[in-house]
Amino acid sequence: MKKSNKKVLIAVLVLLASVGFLIYRGLANTSVYYMTAGELKTSTLGRQLGADQTVRVGGLVVDGSIDYNQRDLSLRFSIKDENNPQEVIDALYNGAKPDAFEPEIEALLEGTYDRDKNLFLADTLLVKCPSKYESEQENPKEARQ
Amino acid sequence: MITFGNFSQAAALFFTLLSMGLLLCGLSRNNVRLVQAGKRALISAAIATTLASIALAYLFLTDNFSVEYVASYSDRALPLFYKLTAFWAGQKGSLLFWAWVLSLFIALVIFNNRREADDRNTPYVYLVLAGTLAFFLFLLCAVSSPFETLGFLPRDGQGLNPMLQNPGMIFHPPTLFLGYIGFTIPFAYAIAAMITGNTGADWIRKTRAWNVLSWIFLSIGIILGGQWAYVELGWGGYWAWDPVENASFIPWLVSTAFIHTAIIQERRGIMKVWNMVLIQLTFLLCIFGTYLVRSGILQSVHDFGSTGLGGYFLVFMLVAMIGGIYLLAESYSEFRTPGSIESYLSRESTFLFNNVVLLALAFATLLGTIFPILSEIVTGNKITVGQPFFNQVNTPLFLILLLLTGICPLIGWRKASATNLKRNFLGPALTALVCGFIMLAFGVTQPYALLAFLLSAFVGATIVQEYLTAIRSRKKLTGESSASAGLRLLWKMRRRYGGHIVHFGLAMMVIGIAASSAYKLEKQGTLRQGESMSIGDFELKYESFRQYEKFNRTIYAATLGVFRDGNRIDELDAERRYYINAKQPTTEVAIRSTLAQDLYVTMPGIGQGNEITLKVAVNPLLIWIWFGSFLMVIGGILAIIPSRRKAS
């Protein structure tokens, strides 16, 4: 191998190694578990989570549970597991209520879970746009009758 | 019209399959006339998809709600313009749009080559193109037809999602598609070159305009998406590393890499295999992007949901991938080249490093995007990574890329001499350092932001220096004035300066991105009429409230006076809109844009007594992102304007 090629090769390898390190560090620092409300409450992994460990949880907003204080910008609600609706978690989010937020909508929360109070403190709240781009749960046949 | 649409679609599929048959026969019998007939069949397919598209547009314009797709995305109250654009608002229509554009592109390729005699490659090119078209037409005819009827006539449609009733959103999907689809053509040429063993840069030269054009469309599509998110979604950002956004960004990164190494192959005849890999990867990632949005396998704020098409796309990608790998392995020996990079201090090597970084960015983004799926397969638990992952990994990589962007034009091809380097580097490096110190003096201490500013200044300075030197030597040569020498140079060497303008735009974008992400101010508050809140240098006073009807919506608007140093400098209207047919209100963003910063206001809530909740942000230098992206597009266009003396 020519000397110049060797140098290029070494530079590329160094570059690749640092990329690998960046990705490894990024994953180690930022990855969080995702689970459904039911899994967070009952699964072994869910139970092992520390009270200060960030986790992402998904569930449906329980009808009648929404309590929004516009003055203080605090939003209290409960989410239930889509498949096990009896598993319910209370949640608190400090911020403005998103437009699409309404009962029975799928919500994604990221934050920490206080198991003793069954309270999820959400730092971020994402709701799936109900119509998405495709109105899948809304069959026009039914909607129009 | 419905029957007509169905019929046209089916006819298009028929013609495409017919053309594949004719091309295959023509190839095996070495019959030119059969190949010609195959091309004509492809043109017929293009006409048929055009007719199908006209049919769908007609159904939208005439409010034919007996068609399921029309009923789902339109209603009587929808403005005419949006009725037309609802065409691609959903999955099925966008699929037809895709097939239509691809068939037109194919017709355009045939038209462009009308004067050239077919070489050994062309039948294969058309065969690959026809195969791709056939796949999309098959999906349209057999799986997901936009002409499906409900079996009854509803009184009205369900209307278009209000968030899609925005110019940015209207042009975002089609431009993105044009980019995705455009890469099919260089891909087809690459496959053909591998089959016939035509190892030269011929396929690259022939498809250069397609490559750059597709890249431009992809860029515009991504930018429009970001702009739409910024002005319409109202969460204050333009990019969130959402899976759907990443799906378009990953092929952009790989195609950017390809555009760079394609130049090396053109000039030096090396990196042939590498380019083959890159163009195939670009094509696959484009298909992967369309797949991701339709598969429902990832949690995204905005995907199509599960559409039942995922499996078909997976199979198509697998076929393309295995075919590509097989052909590459078959023709590998022919594509190996004796040439190599002569020095690590050469333009070739900076291109190589740029490729490594771009692919690393693509890999990291892809990994982060599909990590929940991977982790579930490996560990059984879903592990997600969010914005912090992408920011942590990609930011340093982008800074390296920026550094390379600055260094590259300073280094000559083959091998650069040390004295040459020193002379070229001095000016830009000093400029960058001075800029860095000025930024420090202004209190910019965030290391990544500081580096981003410094490197952007470096990139800008190298480009300006190169341009000024070239102007000076041209003046000496021709005796023109500086202005005319400058303009003539831009035009005469537009391929080079187009590239420089793209890089200059990139540097501007980086400045905007760094400033607006590192020094963003955000605040929420609830105000009664007459109250005010402050953010940064600004003070916002809630002055008045009104409610009115317009087109298909009711609008609630709060007028906010904008004050700085006690003077009322402007006013903003924050709005909430209630669309007929939509279940929830939408927030309309109010933005006051200046070169220095954007004042960004949304009103997520209106309470009793018209008490309003405001989300306010100050985004420094944000407009630079849009300026920079505009320059990138202009530069790209400049670079592909063909010269008048066409090589004939």
Side-chain angles (χ1 to χ4, degrees):
Chain A
M1 189 181 273
K2 280 202 323 200
K3 205 175 133 202
S4 60
N5 268 4
K6 216 179 237 168
K7 278 188 187 163
V8 173
L9 191 69
I10 290 170
V12 168
L13 285 180
V14 169
L15 211 51
L16 284 180
S18 27
V19 169
F21 171 74
L22 273 175
I23 291 177
Y24 170 77
R25 202 195 55 171
L27 285 178
N29 288 348
T30 65
S31 60
V32 295
Y33 283 112
Y34 167 80
M35 36 190 99
T36 64
E39 284 167 349
L40 180 60
K41 272 188 91 168
T42 56
S43 76
T44 349
L45 181 72
R47 289 176 172 282
Q48 282 166 2
L49 285 178
D52 53 353
Q53 196 173 347
T54 305
V55 61
R56 190 185 280 203
V57 63
L60 301 180
V61 177
V62 178
D63 198 358
S65 71
I66 303 173
D67 173 20
Y68 179 46
N69 183 332
Q70 200 192 331
R71 188 82 208 172
D72 304 336
L73 291 174
S74 79
L75 176 63
R76 284 177 177 280
F77 57 98
S78 308
I79 53 168
K80 62 182 178 192
D81 197 300
E82 200 165 355
N83 302 318
N84 304 307
Q86 75 282 3
E87 299 293 351
V88 174
I89 291 178
D90 298 329
L92 171 64
Y93 171 67
N94 287 314
K97 187 170 71 126
D99 287 341
F101 192 85
E102 55 182 50
E104 297 299 322
I105 203 163
E106 192 182 340
L108 277 179
L109 287 67
E110 201 167 298
T112 52
Y113 180 51
D114 186 334
R115 189 164 295 278
D116 302 330
K117 293 187 197 152
N118 188 30
L119 180 68
F120 195 88
L121 296 170
D123 301 321
T124 56
L125 166 65
L126 281 179
V127 286
K128 269 215 161 173
C129 179
S131 58
K132 294 188 182 145
Y133 293 168
E134 193 78 4
S135 49
E136 50 164 18
Q137 71 273 66
E138 245 181 301
N139 189 335
K141 284 180 194 173
E142 292 155 20
R144 288 297 143 204
Q145 298 308 311
Chain B
M1 248 328 161
I2 300 167
T3 334
F4 180 70
N6 268 321
F7 174 75
S8 308
Q9 249 175 211
L13 180 59
F14 168 75
F15 281 125
T16 311
L17 293 175
L18 177 70
S19 132
M20 289 173 78
L22 288 168
L23 288 168
L24 277 174
C25 282
L27 277 168
S28 65
R29 296 191 196 159
N30 221 348
N31 185 329
V32 184
R33 286 181 58 195
L34 283 177
V35 172
Q36 288 299 336
K39 287 203 274 187
R40 251 172 259 135
L42 273 176
I43 289 177
S44 311
I47 294 170
T49 52
T50 307
L51 292 176
S53 304
I54 291 174
L56 186 62
Y58 179 83
L59 293 172
F60 266 109
L61 288 180
T62 51
D63 292 329
N64 195 328
F65 301 123
S66 65
V67 176
E68 189 261 341
Y69 186 69
V70 177
S72 306
Y73 291 101
S74 181
D75 58 18
R76 289 182 204 285
L78 194 68
L80 191 69
F81 174 68
Y82 289 119
K83 272 185 189 166
L84 262 180
T85 57
F87 188 112
W88 54 75
Q91 200 280 119
K92 293 173 174 174
S94 61
L95 216 54
L96 176 59
F97 183 77
W98 187 292
W100 179 43
V101 172
L102 181 57
S103 67
L104 290 185
F105 279 4
I106 296 172
L108 193 60
V109 172
I110 295 175
F111 179 76
N112 272 341
N113 292 341
R114 69 194 179 284
R115 294 228 177 83
E116 282 171 46
D118 287 340
D119 54 20
R120 282 196 310 133
N121 281 344
T122 35
Y124 292 106
V125 172
Y126 295 126
L127 198 58
V128 176
L129 291 174
T132 313
L133 182 60
F135 168 70
F136 281 98
L137 287 170
F138 162 75
L139 289 183
L140 277 170
C141 292
V143 192
S144 163
S145 166
F147 296 105
E148 214 172 289
T149 52
L150 287 169
F152 68 99
L153 185 68
R155 257 169 294 129
D156 202 353
Q158 298 185 338
L160 185 64
N161 184 336
M163 288 199 285
L164 302 184
Q165 297 183 34
N166 165 285
M169 195 53 207
I170 284 319
F171 294 111
H172 160 66
T175 38
L176 210 55
F177 283 178
L178 287 175
Y180 280 169
I181 302 163
F183 282 116
T184 315
I185 286 147
F187 169 76
Y189 271 91
I191 295 285
M194 282 196 292
I195 295 175
T196 57
N198 254 340
T199 63
D202 203 36
W203 70 274
I204 285 184
R205 230 165 266 132
K206 273 194 177 140
T207 58
R208 180 173 167 267
W210 282 108
N211 275 323
V212 180
L213 203 62
S214 308
W215 179 89
I216 292 172
F217 277 123
L218 207 52
S219 311
I220 299 178
I222 293 171
I223 292 157
L224 283 179
Q227 209 157 22
W228 169 71
Y230 186 64
V231 304
E232 184 67 32
L233 284 186
W235 45 263
Y238 42 84
W239 192 260
W241 297 109
D242 180 88
V244 168
E245 296 168 350
N246 295 347
S248 59
F249 189 51
I250 301 167
W252 185 88
L253 289 166
V254 179
S255 63
T256 307
F258 172 68
I259 285 178
H260 286 90
T261 41
I263 302 174
I264 300 192
Q265 184 171 347
E266 253 185 276
R267 293 194 63 132
R268 299 271 336 271
I270 53 176
M271 303 190 103
K272 288 177 184 169
V273 177
W274 184 241
N275 280 328
M276 284 288 170
V277 172
L278 283 187
I279 189 60
Q280 289 182 52
L281 213 51
T282 303
F283 176 73
L284 282 176
L285 287 168
C286 286
I287 301 289
F288 182 71
T290 15
Y291 158 71
L292 212 56
V293 197
R294 285 169 176 76
S295 63
I297 56 165
L298 288 170
Q299 290 170 333
S300 160
V301 208
H302 43 198
D303 60 6
F304 279 116
S306 191
T307 57
L309 287 181
Y312 295 99
F313 274 95
L314 271 186
V315 170
F316 181 72
M317 280 191 302
L318 267 179
V319 170
M321 195 157 80
I322 293 170
I325 293 172
Y326 169 77
L327 283 173
L328 200 60
E330 277 288 282
S331 56
Y332 183 73
S333 54
E334 292 171 58
F335 277 89
R336 283 212 48 157
T337 32
S340 69
I341 292 178
E342 289 174 24
S343 160
Y344 69 102
L345 269 183
S346 64
R347 194 169 286 186
E348 295 91 309
S349 71
T350 60
F351 274 41
L352 181 67
F353 298 142
N354 127 319
N355 262 240
V356 174
V357 178
L358 279 167
L359 289 189
L361 276 165
F363 175 74
T365 310
L366 183 65
L367 184 72
T369 308
I370 59 172
F371 202 69
I373 304 168
L374 290 181
S375 65
E376 195 170 21
I377 294 171
V378 177
T379 67
N381 296 310
K382 257 193 186 162
I383 302 174
T384 64
V385 296
Q387 292 197 42
F389 169 78
F390 296 105
N391 290 335
Q392 272 191 25
V393 177
N394 288 357
T395 310
L397 290 178
F398 264 115
L399 291 176
I400 300 175
L401 197 62
L402 200 58
L403 177 68
L404 288 169
T405 311
I407 294 176
C408 174
L410 298 179
I411 299 184
W413 294 98
R414 290 173 187 274
K415 195 174 161 96
S417 73
T419 44
N420 214 334
L421 265 183
K422 224 179 273 169
R423 201 184 56 213
N424 287 343
F425 258 96
L426 199 63
L430 277 178
T431 316
L433 278 180
V434 170
C435 277
F437 277 117
I438 293 175
M439 285 322 254
L440 257 179
F442 270 104
V444 176
T445 47
Q446 217 272 350
Y448 277 156
L450 191 61
L451 255 178
F453 290 138
L454 200 141
L455 289 173
S456 302
F458 178 63
V459 171
T462 54
I463 293 169
V464 171
Q465 168 182 281
E466 205 264 7
Y467 188 39
L468 290 180
T469 317
I471 290 180
R472 225 173 293 134
S473 39
R474 187 179 166 90
K475 265 167 66 183
K476 235 183 247 165
L477 216 71
T478 61
E480 292 167 328
S481 69
S482 303
S484 104
L487 284 176
R488 264 164 221 254
L489 213 62
L490 267 188
W491 184 245
K492 286 239 154 94
M493 310 194 63
R494 53 186 173 273
R495 194 172 159 178
R496 166 189 292 183
Y497 287 107
H500 279 334
I501 291 172
V502 171
H503 289 162
F504 200 85
L506 178 77
M508 280 185 79
M509 274 185 94
V510 170
I511 291 175
I513 292 168
S516 63
S517 47
Y519 293 97
K520 178 188 182 120
L521 299 172
E522 265 179 309
K523 217 172 169 182
Q524 296 193 352
T526 300
L527 301 179
R528 296 203 179 91
Q529 210 156 325
E531 288 182 329
S532 40
M533 64 188 285
S534 64
I535 183 164
D537 302 338
F538 297 103
E539 180 136 351
L540 283 168
K541 190 176 174 201
Y542 176 19
E543 292 178 340
S544 61
F545 189 86
R546 70 213 146 87
Q547 171 190 347
Y548 58 100
E549 315 265 322
K550 197 178 171 189
F551 301 127
N552 52 351
R553 52 195 181 246
T554 308
I555 297 171
Y556 298 84
T559 304
L560 309 166
V562 183
F563 292 82
R564 187 156 54 189
D565 306 326
N567 303 316
R568 191 173 189 280
I569 50 169
D570 209 343
E571 68 173 46
L572 287 173
D573 271 345
E575 293 181 359
R576 283 178 81 68
R577 297 177 170 181
Y578 291 78
Y579 283 79
I580 301 166
N581 252 332
K583 276 189 280 177
Q584 341 119 10
T586 52
T587 306
E588 211 52 25
V589 182
I591 304 175
R592 181 181 183 272
S593 261
T594 61
L595 265 183
Q597 77 262 89
D598 276 17
L599 179 63
Y600 184 98
V601 183
T602 55
M603 181 165 65
I606 303 171
Q608 282 176 344
N610 294 337
E611 184 180 76
I612 58 169
T613 301
L614 293 182
K615 257 177 156 169
V616 189
V618 172
N619 300 319
L621 303 184
L622 195 124
I623 210 172
W624 288 49
I625 299 176
W626 313 134
F627 279 145
S629 53
F630 182 71
L631 272 186
M632 283 178 91
V633 170
I634 294 290
I637 293 172
L638 185 67
I640 51 167
I641 297 176
S643 53
R644 225 174 299 153
R645 289 169 282 114
K646 218 175 173 183
S648 52

